[in-house]
Amino acid sequence: MTLWEYVEDRWDLILFETAQHASMVAQCVLVAALLGVLIGVATYRRPRLASLATASSGVLFTVPSLAMLGLLIPVLGLGVAPSVTAIVLYALLPIIRNTVVGLQGVDQLVVDAARGIGMSRRRSLARIELPLAWPVILTGIRVSTQLAMGIGAVAAYVSGPGLGEQIFSGLARLGGANAVNSTLTGTIGVAVLALLFDGCFVLLGKLTRPEGPLSRRLTTGGVRG
């Protein structure tokens, strides 16, 4: 059986696993983005805290994915819970680091000018600093998404959902019928999803850059309010 025939024969299952994989990655990256940006915002004015946050997420990042998933099994069992936890933990480092770097890179003169016209610290953060740091933060989220795609595939080791099942099933049956087709299907599917997600982030970056249409609309709406 050729690869194409294998895909046609199992199209419904592959489509379902692809949707599972995309949904899991999207939700995990969203959670990681919220946590990472909040941690970055809370620590970027305090170098020691920022270093601690980055170092802590960096330590988690260095743990091999299979080891991380294995350590989570006694606590969370098998399935979705350890998969989601591991993906979120691995996705934190690029987001925290880029949030801190982006906010620290904002020109202090611009911040001082905002404070000088009566903006509070929170208002300055929301209206000036975060929008200027957004391109750097978005880059961190893009990197985290690509990492999450790969870790999501490895999550099949703990019975996680997604295309990893095709990969692990094929590897477990190497030498058997359709083992290579199964592995290739999962691998190609993850790569295609990664490209699609990255394309969406490129579009989002264009729409939300300072001169982008969505950014202008939000800014105009904020001024009117």
Side-chain angles (χ1 to χ4, degrees):
M1 180 181 290
T2 65
L3 176 61
W4 182 249
E5 289 172 340
Y6 176 86
V7 172
E8 282 188 326
D9 187 56
R10 295 163 175 79
W11 176 248
D12 290 340
L13 174 62
I14 294 170
L15 191 62
F16 175 70
E17 290 176 341
T18 301
Q20 278 189 320
H21 202 98
S23 176
M24 177 175 64
V25 169
Q27 293 178 64
C28 289
V29 170
L30 177 60
V31 172
L34 291 173
L35 290 175
V37 171
L38 285 174
I39 293 171
V41 168
T43 60
Y44 81 103
R45 294 180 186 274
R46 303 172 180 85
R48 289 185 179 179
L49 283 180
S51 297
L52 178 61
T54 303
S56 299
S57 57
V59 169
L60 292 173
F61 191 80
T62 61
V63 178
S65 55
L66 287 177
M68 173 75 78
L69 290 166
L71 290 171
L72 290 173
I73 290 175
V75 180
L76 300 174
L78 298 172
V80 174
S83 305
V84 168
T85 302
I87 293 171
V88 171
L89 290 176
Y90 279 112
L92 281 175
L93 176 60
I95 299 173
I96 293 175
R97 182 173 57 193
N98 279 39
T99 300
V100 171
V101 170
L103 289 172
Q104 289 179 342
V106 174
D107 192 340
Q108 190 58 41
L109 292 176
V110 176
V111 178
D112 291 341
R115 299 298 300 277
I117 62 173
M119 278 191 179
S120 65
R121 176 171 291 185
R122 290 183 180 179
R123 188 175 175 84
S124 172
L125 176 66
R127 297 291 300 277
I128 304 297
E129 296 174 72
L130 278 174
L132 289 175
W134 172 243
V136 179
I137 296 172
L138 184 61
T139 299
I141 297 174
R142 286 178 64 184
V143 172
S144 291
T145 302
Q146 302 307 306
L147 290 170
M149 281 292 174
I151 302 300
V154 178
Y157 173 71
V158 292
S159 302
L163 288 166
E165 175 60 30
Q166 290 286 332
I167 298 173
F168 273 75
S169 175
L171 291 175
R173 296 182 290 106
L174 277 180
N178 294 317
V180 174
N181 288 335
S182 178
T183 304
L184 283 175
T185 297
T187 304
I188 293 172
V190 170
V192 170
L193 276 181
L195 291 173
L196 290 174
F197 269 66
D198 200 56
C200 291
F201 278 118
V202 170
L203 179 60
L204 179 62
K206 290 181 179 180
L207 291 174
T208 57
R209 64 181 186 266
E211 67 275 15
L214 181 58
S215 180
R216 287 200 302 267
R217 185 177 301 174
L218 291 173
T219 302
T220 302
V223 172
R224 288 175 182 171

